[in-house]
Amino acid sequence: TQGFLTSPQLGARNVPKILIVITDGQSNNIARTITEADNLRKKNITLLSVGVGALNQIELLGIAENEKNVFNVKTFSVLDTIRGEITQRVCDVPEAPEVKPCTDNFLFDLVFVIDSSNKLGSGIYEINYVFVSYLIRAFRIDENSTKVALLLYDGKPVTVFNLTSSINIIYQSLVSAPNKTINTNTYLGLIEALKFFDPVYGGRPNANKAIIFVTDGQSNDPINIIQQAEQVKNQGVNVFTIGILPEADDVELSIIASKPEYNFSPNGYGNLVSLAGIVSDFVCKAPPAI
């Protein structure tokens, strides 16, 4: 496809290059699809994705990179109803949010701990996974660089995947990760997250250790959570917290975070994904916890 847009014979050099991807299914290799989309963007090609049917949004966002460049319709027969929206985007496509590559540190064990109780309503849990997929783009994912783990918590912690350097496992797991809705037992998530840094679960003794903690509610046991947070930080782990307003307790999360500046408070889930570049930059530049 990129040949049509980049070859001297077919692709005009001084005009915007836009590729619109229309699909009614999921690719067999999500990681490869997103990698190829990134390669096209490096050639200054803007991608828009159109999903037909009930598709998972992670791959569509991975292709388009900017959520405003993703469109969804129920069937092919109603594609014409979004013609005006797509035309407008083609005429005025903004730059995608920038996630800068992390070059300061290369050896990271990065654990995402996500509150899946969804205090702000059902149907929005996928945004958490989209946020994860954006943020990890800042890091080189392999055995000698960054490894990633994902833990969900509410009434009981659930491991989605242990520390892994397989980008394909990460993306496939994000697509199939469950949605749970019970309670916000924050301290259980932090306690469980510590185990990932053990070699049994893929942890590396010489890696920089970080937890990125995302919640849209308040802990059911605030005294216990503060004690557990101190225990985690005393194990040499940097803790970054993201509290989705208006339900998250910003004061509590500032205490849980390793430093007050490691706490972020987006106003609603609609502003979570845009934080990926900012949070990844803080994680990248944070000195190892002692």
Side-chain angles (χ1 to χ4, degrees):
T1 302
Q2 63 178 297
F4 286 100
L5 298 173
T6 59
S7 70
Q9 294 79 17
L10 300 175
R13 295 182 179 181
N14 297 316
V15 299
K17 299 174 177 62
I18 298 172
L19 176 65
I20 301 175
V21 179
I22 302 175
T23 179
D24 64 351
Q26 180 178 303
S27 71
N28 295 327
N29 191 324
I30 296 175
R32 177 69 183 275
T33 299
I34 294 176
T35 297
E36 292 302 327
D38 286 337
N39 289 337
L40 289 173
R41 274 186 286 274
K42 291 175 183 177
K43 298 180 181 295
N44 296 318
I45 299 172
T46 298
L47 284 82
L48 281 67
S49 60
V50 181
V52 181
L55 300 184
N56 189 286
Q57 297 301 295
I58 291 174
E59 185 171 24
L60 294 176
L61 272 163
I63 293 170
E65 194 170 41
N66 187 317
E67 60 264 33
K68 293 182 179 180
N69 293 345
V70 177
F71 302 86
N72 291 275
V73 293
K74 292 183 178 180
T75 64
F76 281 105
S77 63
V78 295
L79 272 175
D80 190 60
T81 62
I82 61 172
R83 179 174 56 180
E85 295 178 59
I86 293 178
T87 301
Q88 183 61 44
R89 295 303 296 163
V90 169
C91 291
D92 186 23
V93 174
E95 293 185 7
E98 184 178 12
V99 179
K100 297 179 181 178
C102 178
T103 57
D104 290 37
N105 295 296
F106 291 103
L107 199 63
F108 275 103
D109 283 348
L110 189 57
V111 178
F112 289 87
V113 180
I114 293 179
D115 173 10
S116 57
S117 60
N118 292 332
K119 291 292 189 300
L120 298 183
S122 60
I124 57 176
Y125 67 97
E126 278 186 359
I127 298 176
N128 287 315
Y129 306 146
V130 172
F131 169 74
V132 173
S133 70
Y134 270 63
L135 190 146
I136 62 175
R137 294 184 184 191
F139 301 90
R140 180 176 177 177
I141 310 296
D142 64 39
E143 191 64 31
N144 297 314
S145 302
T146 299
K147 298 175 73 174
V148 180
L150 174 60
L151 175 74
L152 305 182
Y153 74 92
D154 52 19
K156 181 180 179 181
V158 172
T159 298
V160 180
F161 52 87
N162 292 323
L163 280 169
T164 179
S165 57
S166 169
I167 194 67
N168 201 43
I169 288 176
I170 293 170
Y171 280 125
Q172 293 287 357
S173 298
L174 289 174
V175 168
S176 59
N179 175 29
K180 303 166 80 263
T181 54
I182 308 178
N183 301 304
T184 304
N185 289 325
T186 308
Y187 72 94
L188 291 177
L190 284 178
I191 294 172
E192 189 74 7
L194 266 181
K195 77 174 187 181
F196 289 107
F197 301 112
D198 189 291
V200 174
Y201 297 95
R204 297 165 295 180
N206 57 334
N208 292 327
K209 301 172 178 61
I211 290 175
I212 298 177
F213 186 87
V214 184
T215 182
D216 64 1
Q218 301 178 27
S219 172
N220 294 335
D221 191 345
I223 295 178
N224 203 354
I225 180 57
I226 292 173
Q227 293 174 345
Q228 295 301 331
E230 288 304 313
Q231 178 182 336
V232 170
K233 289 181 279 190
N234 288 337
Q235 296 295 317
V237 180
N238 272 320
V239 179
F240 301 82
T241 54
I242 302 171
I244 313 297
L245 300 177
E247 295 296 327
D249 187 334
D250 191 53
V251 174
E252 179 181 80
L253 292 174
S254 293
I255 297 173
I256 294 172
S258 294
K259 297 180 180 180
E261 58 265 35
Y262 290 176
N263 176 46
F264 305 87
S265 304
N267 186 20
Y269 273 101
N271 295 304
L272 175 60
V273 173
S274 61
L275 274 178
I278 298 172
V279 177
S280 64
D281 196 49
F282 269 89
V283 174
C284 175
K285 295 178 179 178
I290 299 175

